Amino acid sequence: MYRLGESVIFTLYGESHAQYIGGFLEGLPEGEEVNVGQIDEELALRKPYKGIGTPRTEPDEVEFLSGLEDGRTTGEKIHFRIRNTNTDSSKYEAFNRTPRPGHADLPAIAKFPGHIIKGGNQFSGRLTASAVVAGSIARQFVSRYGISVGSFTRSIGRVRDDGDRGFDDAVASRSNPTRASTKELDSMMTKEILDASADDDSVGGIIECITVGLPMGFGGTWFESLDARIANAVFGIPACKGIEFGKGFGLAEMRGSESNDPFCFDGGIRLRSNNMGGILGGMSDGAPMVFRAAFKPTPSIGKEQDTVDLEKMENTKIRIEGRHDPCIVPRAAIVVESMTCLVIADQIRGDILWNSKN
Ligand SMILES: Cc1cc2nc3c(=O)[nH]c(=O)nc-3n(C[C@H](O)[C@H](O)[C@H](O)COP(=O)(O)O)c2cc1C
């Protein structure tokens, strides 16, 4: 089991080819309304999109075992699970002897005695369905504080969205299969994915996440800072290899006079720019919180790759068959949003000082 949070605690369990995946969510107050239809809508955004995603599709029916009654939280631990219906492990047997480059096989064999590779085991993207269920419940909770979280695809492979984007673009991206902000970019990104797939290859990309409604001062300090907590949660998503807030790595090339976001007063205190991505000292500065998460290309590819035969201890080649996404990015967007909602819910419940003032 894998745990996130201190006041609102999300625990994740399961394996890609086990009977179930599932999770626990504890720490939310009693009587909170939970719309199960909204959970299903968000789960649908994680499903592979026909043509550009893996042919592995599962109904993702969520079963709530405790913590919810008549659409409201009881104050008890919420326990939910989703049955895995597509669990043919035969194509994965060979990876016990010839581990897949870029996947977790080799370190997992080294770490866990008797580890047998079945799908992606506990490392599988399949487990992110549970993160979306918990994240959707957290989203409904944080929305009562006027906080909304959205995301869109900033890039896939070499196709980049260089537009000046905001929260509305993130909302609009929900109707595009690649989660691009416009239809035109959606077609270009789709082509990038299909081209890689036709080459038995895969592509990565960048998801931009935008949160609006965070009040100034919301967050924490040092290891409890908003950015530290979000980085921890988002890096937990399989295949995430980078995160930057605001201009991020670009700030390193600027002077302070360019990078600082100047304050101004027009009825309230505002920032003239948002290079810091809405965070100062680990707390919200009142501007939208903006971060980007980079996802690597899907490791399982059809192209021939070098690996090692662990029985003979000699070099060999591997070609991976089976059901794999040529690009993880479109499906990971809702997962990034979900992790963000969970962190914000945790900070709302945990921030006694902020709560005493609000
Ligand atoms: C939504 C989602 C779907 C994924 N689908 C696949 C897949 O079909 N094939 C694959 O090899 N990896 C897939 N991954 C990525 C692997 O789970 C991940 O690369 C692997 O566990 C190694 O972890 P790391 O990349 O974080 O080091 C997926 C990840 C996510 C978030």
Side-chain angles (χ1 to χ4, degrees):
M1 295 214 195
Y2 315 100
R3 260 166 81 101
L4 176 77
E6 287 179 358
S7 300
V8 172
I9 303 162
F10 169 47
T11 314
L12 178 68
Y13 70 83
E15 288 186 83
S16 103
H17 288 187
Q19 228 180 336
Y20 289 97
I21 54 162
F24 299 97
L25 188 63
E26 53 196 300
L28 288 177
E30 182 189 346
E32 290 290 322
E33 210 180 314
V34 175
N35 178 347
V36 175
Q38 185 175 333
I39 299 176
D40 290 336
E41 275 168 33
E42 284 163 23
L43 275 173
L45 291 170
R46 200 205 68 92
K47 282 192 178 161
Y49 198 84
K50 217 168 165 227
I52 59 165
T54 164
R56 179 180 181 175
T57 47
E58 295 179 65
D60 285 354
E61 271 165 29
V62 190
E63 192 185 340
F64 288 97
L65 293 121
S66 66
L68 276 191
E69 239 172 64
D70 301 326
R72 289 192 183 271
T73 56
T74 62
E76 287 298 320
K77 199 185 271 196
I78 301 171
H79 179 196
F80 59 88
R81 65 183 184 183
I82 304 172
R83 188 182 274 279
N84 289 324
T85 54
N86 203 333
T87 54
D88 174 15
S89 299
S90 57
K91 292 217 165 70
Y92 294 83
E93 273 163 26
F95 308 143
N96 291 294
R97 185 164 169 179
T98 49
R100 290 168 289 181
H103 214 295
D105 304 345
L106 189 59
I109 290 167
K111 184 178 173 84
F112 306 113
H115 183 77
I116 296 171
I117 294 157
K118 291 178 179 169
N121 295 81
Q122 65 269 51
F123 310 99
S124 172
R126 172 86 189 126
L127 273 68
T128 59
S130 296
V132 173
V133 175
S136 180
I137 299 171
R139 185 194 300 266
Q140 296 181 41
F141 172 71
V142 307
S143 73
R144 286 174 204 123
Y145 291 79
I147 299 166
S148 305
V149 178
S151 75
F152 67 97
T153 299
R154 225 348 141 181
S155 72
I156 284 183
R158 283 152 305 158
V159 179
R160 272 196 67 88
D161 175 353
D162 289 320
D164 189 9
R165 306 289 174 204
F167 186 75
D168 291 346
D169 297 296
V171 174
S173 78
R174 286 192 171 206
S175 57
N176 293 330
T178 63
R179 297 292 308 269
S181 61
T182 68
K183 295 275 175 226
E184 196 192 348
L185 281 159
D186 184 54
S187 328
M188 290 161 71
M189 289 179 183
T190 299
K191 186 174 178 310
E192 188 79 351
I193 296 172
L194 295 179
D195 285 352
S197 180
D199 276 347
D200 281 337
D201 218 332
S202 61
V203 272
I206 295 173
I207 292 160
E208 183 162 318
C209 186
I210 304 175
T211 302
V212 291
L214 290 171
M216 196 181 284
F218 179 81
T221 311
W222 275 87
F223 313 114
E224 291 168 11
S225 69
L226 204 45
D227 36 4
R229 286 286 160 94
I230 284 180
N232 173 52
V234 172
F235 264 126
I237 305 172
C240 177
K241 294 304 279 183
I243 188 163
E244 62 174 4
F245 287 80
K247 291 274 187 300
F249 280 78
L251 290 168
E253 293 166 12
M254 293 182 182
R255 293 205 162 176
S257 54
E258 297 168 296
S259 66
N260 288 343
D261 297 313
F263 301 131
C264 63
F265 186 82
D266 63 359
I269 302 172
R270 296 190 207 294
L271 278 73
R272 287 198 197 279
S273 53
N274 191 9
N275 294 331
M276 301 302 148
I279 299 179
L280 290 173
M283 299 164 285
S284 170
D285 60 15
M289 179 174 76
V290 182
F291 70 85
R292 286 182 209 89
F295 283 81
K296 72 187 196 183
T298 317
S300 301
I301 52 172
K303 243 188 179 44
E304 193 174 76
Q305 301 174 83
D306 289 336
T307 187
V308 171
D309 182 325
L310 298 178
E311 267 177 35
K312 293 189 185 157
M313 279 303 175
E314 62 184 34
N315 293 329
T316 184
K317 303 277 182 195
I318 183 176
R319 282 184 73 90
I320 299 167
E321 292 169 30
R323 303 151 299 166
H324 300 285
D325 271 314
C327 184
I328 291 160
V329 177
R331 302 180 62 199
I334 189 68
V335 185
V336 169
E337 291 177 34
S338 301
M339 301 316 290
T340 305
C341 292
L342 284 163
V343 170
I344 294 171
D346 183 40
Q347 294 223 333
I348 287 177
R349 293 287 279 165
D351 193 336
I352 295 159
L353 193 61
W354 184 78
N355 275 312
S356 68
K357 288 191 193 158
N358 292 280

